Amino acid sequence: MSDSKGKEVSALKKLGVQVQKGDHYLCQEKQQGVTKCKSNGQTLSYQSEEKAAVVTKIGKSSTTTVSLFQRRVEETIHHESPPPVKDEITHFSHRHALHQYKVQKRDKINCNICEAEILDKAWSCESCKFFIHKSCENIPQKIKHKSHLRDTLTLRSSTNYACGEFTCNACCDSDKGFHYHCSPCKFDIHVACAGLPSAVNYQKHKNPLTLCYDFPILSSETVKCKVCDMKINKKGWAYYNEDSKFIAHVYCAVDKKKKDLILAIQKRLQSLQMK
């Protein structure tokens, strides 16, 4: 018997496996694959190695005994570097690079894209007084909207109309800045209007209000908003409940928490993005 075979037999005997004359045995090594998991910026790798003895008894049909006599598990920790933090970006609408900007409460800065107030971090070109929410960086440039199913709407930073302004088909306000536009139809809506939710729960009304792109009340009389008591333009959109006949301007009905509204608008815009 060779030295290696003698060592294998000794290892088996320590485990209570008796090798008798005529038995066939084989020592095997088995190495398992690497398992990785991440925790606190680190990657942990586990690799196990097993050694086994396979003993086949002669005279008994297909009886095999397997005994492990050594097991080793290796653990390796890989330190990963955090992804680099961007300190500047480019945006299709502005000729200069935009840099990180920390907005202070006293600043009172509105986003050039969605026009809502910026409450925290922003991308900015300070020399041009151009500021956008960090979350507005990736607002889609083309969307398909339920209010205008015939054509794709394209994000524009200004208008080509001779008067220098556009009138929003949603809220009916005139503006000069960012908006979604359809050239053949001369259809324009603010970025924020494009992202308005299809239904809202107004705090002083028990039933949900549905966003209507066509005016829901057929009447020649003046219709007033149930929230602010001001006239509603019948050419624009409104939130309405058929059962209660409750109607409101689009921005009278939405959540007054500006930060929540901004996030809701941006999330809806992403869902409208052309794939």
Side-chain angles (χ1 to χ4, degrees):
M1 183 181 292
S2 64
D3 292 340
S4 61
K5 290 292 184 180
K7 291 179 180 178
E8 292 170 0
V9 171
S10 298
L12 289 170
K13 287 182 177 179
K14 288 180 180 179
L15 292 172
V17 179
Q18 298 297 324
V19 179
Q20 300 177 1
K21 185 177 180 180
D23 287 344
H24 295 276
Y25 62 92
L26 176 66
C27 288
Q28 298 177 331
E29 293 186 4
K30 179 181 178 183
Q31 187 169 330
Q32 293 184 347
V34 176
T35 303
K36 292 185 177 181
C37 63
K38 290 189 175 182
S39 176
N40 298 325
Q42 297 178 337
T43 300
L44 304 179
S45 300
Y46 298 94
Q47 180 172 315
S48 66
E49 182 181 273
E50 298 177 352
K51 291 184 178 180
V54 181
V55 180
T56 303
K57 300 290 186 181
I58 291 179
K60 294 183 180 179
S61 60
S62 302
T63 300
T64 303
T65 303
V66 180
S67 299
L68 295 181
F69 62 87
Q70 186 175 350
R71 178 182 175 89
R72 183 180 65 189
V73 178
E74 295 181 351
E75 178 180 326
T76 307
I77 300 177
H78 305 278
H79 297 277
E80 293 187 350
S81 300
V85 178
K86 293 189 295 185
D87 58 3
E88 81 171 33
I89 63 167
T90 57
H91 196 269
F92 81 94
S93 66
H94 198 74
R95 63 184 182 275
H96 302 139
L98 305 182
H99 299 271
Q100 292 196 70
Y101 185 86
K102 175 67 175 177
V103 176
Q104 306 298 324
K105 289 184 178 179
R106 63 178 181 273
D107 290 339
K108 299 295 181 182
I109 294 173
N110 285 359
C111 174
N112 282 70
I113 294 181
C114 73
E115 300 185 33
E117 185 178 356
I118 300 176
L119 304 175
D120 192 7
K121 296 178 181 179
W123 291 115
S124 77
C125 175
E126 292 187 64
S127 60
C128 298
K129 304 300 180 186
F130 182 87
F131 299 88
I132 64 173
H133 289 105
K134 283 206 163 185
S135 49
C136 280
E137 172 192 350
N138 296 316
I139 279 180
Q141 294 186 37
K142 292 184 180 295
I143 62 171
K144 200 74 173 178
H145 201 277
K146 287 183 178 179
S147 66
H148 194 75
L149 293 174
R150 287 175 293 178
D151 304 296
T152 298
L153 303 182
T154 302
L155 181 63
R156 301 188 62 166
S157 58
S158 60
T159 180
N160 287 336
Y161 297 136
C163 63
E165 293 184 337
F166 70 91
T167 299
C168 178
N169 286 69
C171 66
C172 298
D173 287 344
S174 295
D175 214 331
K176 297 180 179 180
F178 280 83
H179 61 289
Y180 282 104
H181 173 72
C182 172
S183 293
C185 304
K186 292 183 170 52
F187 180 89
D188 304 273
I189 52 177
H190 286 106
V191 172
C193 291
L196 285 170
S198 57
V200 296
N201 291 304
Y202 181 62
Q203 56 186 346
K204 295 183 179 179
H205 191 265
K206 62 180 181 179
N207 298 320
L209 305 179
T210 302
L211 182 60
C212 299
Y213 305 124
D214 297 314
F215 205 73
I217 299 177
L218 300 177
S219 172
S220 58
E221 298 180 0
T222 297
V223 177
K224 291 185 178 181
C225 173
K226 297 292 185 181
V227 178
C228 70
D229 202 37
M230 299 294 289
K231 177 183 176 181
I232 298 179
N233 192 327
K234 296 181 181 180
K235 293 181 180 179
W237 303 352
Y239 277 106
Y240 182 66
N241 181 272
E242 175 68 29
D243 295 331
S244 63
K245 309 302 180 186
F246 187 99
I247 190 168
H249 290 111
V250 287
Y251 288 106
C252 286
V254 296
D255 192 336
K256 297 300 181 182
K257 295 179 181 178
K258 293 181 179 179
K259 187 174 181 180
D260 291 344
L261 174 59
I262 293 165
L263 293 174
I265 286 172
Q266 290 163 351
K267 184 176 180 180
R268 177 161 170 76
L269 285 172
Q270 293 296 338
S271 71
L272 299 172
Q273 183 172 7
M274 298 294 293
K275 303 300 183 184

